[in-house]
Amino acid sequence: MRKIIHVDMDSFFASIEMRDNPELKSKAIAVGGSPKHRGVIATANYLAREYGVKSAMSSAEALKKCPHLILVAPRYEVYRAVSKQIRQIMLRYTEQIEFLSLDEAYLDVSESISCQGSAIRIAQAIRQSIALELNLTASAGISSVKFLAKIASDLNKPNGQYVILPKYIPEFIKTLPLKKIPGVGKVAEKKLNNLGLYSCADIQNYDLKTLLEQFGKLGKMLYEYSHGVDNRQVEVDRERKSIGVEKTLNQDINTFQEYEFIFNSLYKELETRLIKISTNLTIASQSVKVKFDDFQSSTQQHRYPRLDKTDLFNLATKLWQQKRQERGVRLVGLQVQLLSDYAQKQLSFFDLEPEGI
Ligand code: TTP
Ligand code: MG
């Protein structure tokens, strides 16, 4: 039986901004880009959330929902530095740490001898150190498998923790809504609901074969999770799977000429990033992503051993010609997917900008 802790910081970027500027503490704030440049919200503090301000919402919409919202520009360097401090605190208890993002990590404390081996007390101790030393709050979930630890860390948020003991797992799972399972997005949720599937109990009573036919890999995962099975290990120093650059445009574009111009500038940026990692980086594939004015996105990916401008531009052209259908373009992104051993050896998660902000 493993002991897994999932730690997730509370309104991470926003809490750091409030800590470093106490005047913001009693106000509704959000970290994000300016509405003048079609910025989006990275996160909001809990006060702003009461007005409906959420991550990934456009800053313009956030200001409509909460006109007195204070918008703070992100300071990634600071967030990265804090993330490293959090890791240092966790390392006092175990080296089995897998960061999922700057503010979120799994810990496998099965072998830890601290706190008499109690995962509950280790989680408490980590949260207490984060509070005392960094002046920030974290929440934690504790269970014997990863997905339940992650779900649990949300249940007493903010500044709380929740345990799902192995003996209570069957009972907990039964009523667990499928939409709470990490990996089930809006589209999958709708498809599941259309088949009358809402909770893990529904999956337990459903036919595995149909599930696999309808959902492939996701179906297998849902079947296993609904029976309390999640064999994923905590992957120490989790590999980075891709590197990308993207730009939300100040104005939708409609001509290929403008598109080519943005492609060129993004390509340069991506190239610079990759050169920082290695001057001769072997990759798995490269891809282009475009988001249209109706917020639908489309991606073209191509197996290719290294970043190559001509090949990538061909992909971009194909996307424009085949997928645009006269729609305006609001975002363009370029990415390379990494080979796993390169990813593991050459990249430190903490040295890269987060994507999608
Ligand atoms: P989350 O842990 O999802 O959010 P949070 O820490 O702000 O709030 P919560 O208390 O609910 O955990 O994400 C961590 C940070 O990642 C968040 O502070 C900002 C950033 N982020 C984005 O930039 N864009 C996003 O869409 C999301 C979800 C997060
Ligand atoms: Mg968080």
Side-chain angles (χ1 to χ4, degrees), residues 8-14 41-44 46 49 55-56 101 103-104 154 157 356-357:
D8 189 310
M9 300 297 293
D10 302 323
S11 58
F12 187 49
F13 295 1
I41 301 296
T43 195
Y46 280 75
R49 288 181 198 192
S55 292
S101 68
D103 94 317
E104 192 187 343
D154 248 356
K157 215 175 213 318
I357 297 169

Side-chain angles (χ1 to χ4, degrees), residues 1-4 108 110 143-146 166 230-234:
M1 192 66 76
R2 290 177 298 152
K3 297 176 194 171
I4 311 285
D108 186 332
S110 311
S143 196
S144 53
V145 289
K146 275 174 145 183
D230 176 4
N231 291 321
R232 291 172 305 153
Q233 301 293 313
V234 167

Side-chain angles (χ1 to χ4, degrees), residues 256-268:
F256 189 74
Q257 202 181 6
E258 291 166 298
Y259 181 59
E260 187 173 357
F261 182 79
I262 288 149
F263 174 91
N264 284 330
S265 87
L266 282 174
Y267 183 84
K268 221 184 249 166

